[in-house]
Amino acid sequence: MGAYLGWLPAGVVLLVFAALTVRSVRRAAAWERDAKAAAAAAEAADAAAEAATVTATAAMSDAALLSDAASPALPVAATSNEASDAASDAVGDAAAAVERGEPVGAATCAESSRSAGHRPMATSAVLPPWARSVGTSERTYHGLFGGVARHFNGDYPLARSYWIHGVLLGTLAQMVLLWLSRASDETLTVQTGSMVVVALVLIQLSIAAWALIGTWRSAGRHTARGGSAGWALAARVMVGVGLVRLLAGVAETAPAMEERLAYLSGKQVAGGAATVTPLVGGGVLLLSGGINDGTAMALRSALLRHPNAHTLVLESGGGWVREGTRLAEVIRSHRLNTYVEGVCASSCTIALLAGQERTAGAMAKVGFHAARGLGASPSGGGRAGAANPADDSAFGQIYRQAGLPEDFIRRALSTPFESMWFPEFDQLLKAKVLTRVGPGGEWPLMATRFKSREDASAWLKEMPQYGVIAERFPTDYERALTSVWTLSQQQAIDQKLLGAARSELRRTLDRVRPLSSDALLIDYLALIQDQLRVLQERDARACVGLVFPYSASDLSSARLLTPELRSREQALILRQLREADPTVKPDTRQDTVVRIAQRAMAGMPVQQMQIMASEAERRSRPPELVCRAVIGYFDGLARIPAAERGAALRSLFAAP
C-alpha cells in the first residue's frame, strides 16, 4: 500500500498536466479558427483599401478638373476629405461584414466609397495580438544565445524541440556532466570537488527546465503551424512526465547535495583533520584523526623533518579512500612499518597494509566495511545494484593488490558502510593483514597525550573498573593515578603505563574480591577455569600468567581470550567492585588455608603438587607443564561441595 501511496503525488501532477494540456489544445484549435477568420478579414480589408484608393484617386482627379474650372479651393479639400472618410467607412463596413459572415468583395467596398479616396491599411491593424503570434513568430534570433532563446520561447518546430533539444541534447548534457562530476571527485579535493558538483547539478537542472519549458511552448503552437493536435497533446504529456521525473530526481539527490554543501563549507570526516606527531626523537610518527584531504601531504612534510622515522603508528576511524591510497603511497615510498595500538578502521586499513611490518597491539581493533561514495546511499556495499560488491568497490581492488584472500575481501565488503567488522587476530594474521601481534604499548603514545594529571585521570576513568574504583575506593584510585602520571612524566612507553594500571587494578581486586558473596566467588571460579582452558590451547605462558603474573606482559593475556570470556570477566570484576561488603570477615588462618589447598590438590600428581607449592618450581618448569598443574588445582577447588566452596574460595583469595 505504501508503494502506491508514494506514487499518488506524481499521479496528481500528471492529471493536472493532462487537464492543462487538453485545455491548451482546445484553445489552440479555437485560435486556429479565429486566425483563419482574421486572415479572411484582412484579405477583405486589403481589397477594400485597394478599391478605396482607386476611388480616392478618381475623386482627386475630379477635384482637379473642378479647380481648373475656377471653383473655390475649399470645396475641393472638403471633397477630398469626404472621400477619405468614405473610404474608411468602407473598410469598417467590410470588416463588420466579415464578422457577420457576409461575403465581401471589391465591388461592395467600391460602392461604399464611390466618391472618396482612402489610404491602404496594414493587415496587422485588423489581427488581434494573439493571432499575430500564432503560426510563425515575429521575433528574430541571432547566434547561439538566439537559438537558446528561440527554443525557450517555443518558436522551434515541435519535433526539433522534443527530439533534438529535449531528448538528444538533454541526454548528452547529462552524460557530460556526470563525467565531469566523477572526474572532479577523483582529481580535486573534497571541498573543491563538492563546489564543482553542486555547480554541475544546478547547470543540469537549468538545462532540464529549459528543455521542458521550450517543448511545452512549442507544443502549444504546433496546431497553429498546421501540426496534429494529437502530437501536441502527446508532447505535453511527456513534458509532464519529464517534470515529475525531474522533481523526483531532485528529491532523491537532496541528501547528497546537503552532504556536498556541508563538505563545501569545510566539514571533515572521521574525527576531523589528521595530525602527525613525532615520538621517540622522531623515529616513530603518530598519525591520529580522520584521513581527510591533506593527510598524505602532512605525513610527507613530517618525514622531511624526521628522515630517520621507521614506524608510523595509525590511530584513525577512516576517511576518504582516495586519500588513504595517497597515504599508502607515501608509506611504501619511505618503507615504513605500520603499527596499530587503538583503532584503525575503514580507509585507515589501506595505510596499514602499505607497511613493511604490520603490527597490532594486544587491545588493537582493525575494522573493515564497504566503501561509499560522497553523497551516495550508505546502505549496501559498492555501487548500488552491483551483483558482487567486492568486484565493484575501490576497497576490493586495493585489498586484492595487497594480496588479501578473496573470502576475506568478500566478508569485509559485505559489511554495510554504517557497520564495521573487526576480525580476530588469528584471522588478521592468516589473511596477512598483520605480520605480528604484539603485547601492545610499544611506544609512548599516551605519555605524548597527557598534558596534565587530569588527562591521565580521564584516561584511567575510560576503563569502567577505574570509574567504580574512583567512586568506592578513592585511596586505591589516587595510588593508581599517581603511578600512571609519574611514568608518563618519564615518557614511558604505553606498555609500562598499562602495566602499572593493571597492577594497581589487580592489587585492588585482590583486596576486594574476598568481600564478595559466595555465589559471585563461585561464578568467578568457573570463569577462571574456562579462561585457563582457552589459554592452554593458544599460549601456555599466558595460561600461567593469568594466575601467576611475573611481568606486566603477563597481565595482557586478555588479547588471547574470546570476546565472550572478556565480557564475562569485565562484568564479574565490576560486580565484585560494586558489591564488595566491608563487613565480611574471611577466615585467613594458616591451618584453614592449608586444609583447603590440600583438598584442592587431592589426586594431583606429585610433580604438579610441587609446582603449585613452590614458585621456584613454577619458574623452572616448562609453561605447558605448569599450565596443566594450574588447571588441575582449580578443577580441585571446583570439586569442593557447593555449600563449602564459597567460604573456601574466600579464604584462599584473602590469604596473604
Side-chain angles (χ1 to χ4, degrees):
M1 186 64 181
Y4 294 106
L5 292 177
W7 279 98
L8 185 59
V12 172
V13 172
L14 284 176
L15 289 176
V16 171
F17 267 102
L20 291 175
T21 301
V22 172
R23 179 173 175 270
S24 298
V25 171
R26 288 179 177 176
R27 289 184 62 185
W31 288 351
E32 185 176 8
R33 291 193 301 271
D34 293 344
K36 290 179 180 179
E43 182 180 355
D46 288 340
E50 183 179 358
T53 301
V54 173
T55 303
T57 302
M60 293 178 68
S61 298
D62 293 342
L65 292 174
L66 291 174
S67 178
D68 292 340
S71 299
L74 181 61
V76 173
T79 304
S80 178
N81 290 336
E82 289 174 0
S84 297
D85 293 340
S88 298
D89 292 341
V91 173
D93 293 342
V98 171
E99 292 180 359
R100 292 192 302 270
E102 299 175 359
V104 179
T108 304
C109 295
E111 183 179 352
S112 300
S113 56
R114 184 179 303 275
S115 60
H118 189 271
R119 300 173 186 174
M121 297 180 63
T123 303
S124 61
V126 179
L127 293 176
W130 55 263
R132 277 180 269 137
S133 64
V134 174
T136 60
S137 173
E138 295 180 354
R139 305 180 183 90
T140 57
Y141 303 96
H142 303 284
L144 175 63
F145 291 104
V148 173
R150 184 175 180 181
H151 170 83
F152 186 77
N153 292 327
D155 290 336
Y156 274 118
L158 179 58
R160 174 168 178 167
S161 295
Y162 183 86
W163 291 109
I164 297 180
H165 300 163
V167 177
L168 181 60
L169 291 183
T171 302
L172 290 176
Q174 186 174 8
M175 293 172 62
V176 170
L177 293 176
L178 180 60
W179 179 83
L180 290 174
S181 174
R182 290 180 177 175
S184 65
D185 278 341
E186 293 174 359
T187 57
L188 302 176
T189 65
V190 175
Q191 188 173 22
T192 305
S194 295
M195 183 187 304
V196 171
V197 170
V198 170
L200 292 175
V201 169
L202 293 177
I203 292 173
Q204 184 176 358
L205 291 176
S206 300
I207 292 175
W210 169 80
L212 293 174
I213 292 173
T215 304
W216 177 273
R217 289 177 173 177
S218 180
R221 298 177 180 179
H222 187 59
T223 54
R225 299 187 186 108
S228 168
W231 285 118
L233 174 62
R236 284 199 161 179
V237 169
M238 293 308 297
V239 168
V241 173
L243 179 58
V244 172
R245 292 183 59 187
L246 178 64
L247 295 176
V250 170
E252 183 180 356
T253 58
M257 289 301 101
E258 183 178 357
E259 187 178 7
R260 290 277 187 182
L261 291 173
Y263 290 119
L264 180 59
S265 63
K267 175 185 174 183
Q268 299 284 356
V269 296
T275 59
V276 181
T277 307
L279 307 172
V280 197
V284 177
L285 298 176
L286 167 63
L287 189 150
S288 59
I291 301 179
N292 296 294
D293 287 328
T295 301
M297 184 60 67
L299 177 60
R300 197 183 300 274
S301 300
L303 288 168
L304 290 175
R305 296 191 299 271
H306 305 282
N308 62 326
H310 54 79
T311 299
L312 178 66
V313 180
L314 296 167
E315 192 172 86
S316 173
W320 304 115
V321 174
R322 179 187 60 193
E323 194 65 21
T325 303
R326 293 173 178 171
L327 188 62
E329 292 172 357
V330 177
I331 294 170
R332 275 192 291 266
S333 65
H334 288 78
R335 301 183 64 82
L336 298 176
N337 300 322
T338 50
Y339 180 89
V340 181
E341 181 66 48
V343 174
C344 176
S346 189
S347 61
C348 178
T349 59
I350 302 174
L352 171 64
L353 289 167
Q356 297 292 303
E357 294 291 329
R358 302 177 295 279
T359 307
M363 304 307 293
K365 299 176 71 177
V366 181
F368 298 84
H369 63 181
R372 178 177 76 92
L374 177 58
S377 172
S379 60
R383 189 179 66 220
N388 186 354
D391 289 336
D392 201 29
S393 166
F395 273 146
Q397 298 176 7
I398 294 169
Y399 291 158
R400 285 190 184 85
Q401 292 173 359
L404 271 60
E406 196 66 27
D407 58 342
F408 187 94
I409 296 174
R410 283 195 297 268
R411 175 65 180 87
L413 299 183
S414 64
T415 304
F417 173 79
E418 59 272 19
S419 302
M420 193 69 69
W421 173 49
F422 294 102
E424 296 294 328
F425 286 132
D426 55 350
Q427 294 175 290
L428 294 171
L429 291 169
K430 181 179 179 181
K432 297 185 179 179
V433 174
L434 299 175
T435 58
R436 182 175 70 92
V437 175
E442 298 179 20
W443 312 108
L445 307 182
M446 288 182 290
T448 304
R449 298 191 188 97
F450 294 166
K451 306 301 181 184
S452 65
R453 187 181 175 92
E454 287 71 25
D455 292 339
S457 178
W459 172 74
L460 268 181
K461 288 183 179 179
E462 289 178 0
M463 306 178 197
Q465 301 92 330
Y466 271 107
V468 179
I469 291 173
E471 179 182 348
R472 294 209 60 195
F473 311 103
T475 302
D476 296 69
Y477 181 79
E478 284 299 320
R479 185 179 64 245
L481 177 58
T482 299
S483 177
V484 169
W485 174 242
T486 301
L487 287 172
S488 68
Q489 291 291 93
Q490 300 168 2
Q491 291 294 301
I493 64 174
D494 289 0
Q495 189 176 107
K496 290 187 176 180
L497 268 67
L498 289 167
R502 292 185 183 120
S503 296
E504 292 297 336
L505 176 60
R506 188 181 186 94
R507 182 176 175 183
T508 300
L509 287 173
D510 288 344
R511 184 175 63 83
V512 170
R513 187 173 291 117
L515 307 180
S516 302
S517 65
D518 290 356
L520 187 54
L521 290 173
I522 292 173
D523 289 343
Y524 185 66
L525 173 63
L527 171 67
I528 293 176
Q529 288 180 283
D530 293 340
Q531 289 178 329
L532 289 172
R533 284 181 168 80
V534 170
L535 294 176
Q536 182 184 28
E537 297 177 358
R538 300 188 175 188
D539 188 339
R541 178 177 170 79
C543 170
V544 177
L546 182 69
V547 180
F548 301 109
Y550 301 126
S551 65
S553 60
D554 290 335
L555 294 170
S556 62
S557 58
R559 66 185 175 87
L560 299 175
L561 297 174
T562 63
E564 186 271 334
L565 288 175
R566 290 199 295 267
S567 298
R568 279 176 58 191
E569 180 180 38
Q570 181 166 318
L572 285 172
I573 289 175
L574 290 174
R575 285 182 60 192
Q576 290 171 3
L577 293 170
R578 292 190 180 113
E579 299 175 14
D581 184 1
T583 63
V584 174
K585 303 298 181 183
D587 184 359
T588 58
R589 291 175 300 177
Q590 183 68 23
D591 58 335
T592 302
V593 174
V594 170
R595 186 171 62 254
I596 295 171
Q598 290 174 345
R599 293 180 66 181
M601 290 188 289
M604 289 177 59
V606 175
Q607 187 182 47
Q608 292 185 4
M609 293 174 62
Q610 292 173 344
I611 289 173
M612 294 303 299
S614 169
E615 181 177 338
E617 284 287 328
R618 292 195 293 272
R619 287 183 177 273
S620 62
R621 298 291 184 176
E624 292 78 10
L625 182 59
V626 179
C627 179
R628 286 197 296 271
V630 171
I631 291 175
Y633 178 75
F634 278 92
D635 287 347
L637 289 174
R639 287 193 293 268
I640 297 176
E644 306 173 32
R645 195 181 308 156
L649 292 172
R650 183 176 295 106
S651 296
L652 284 177
F653 290 142

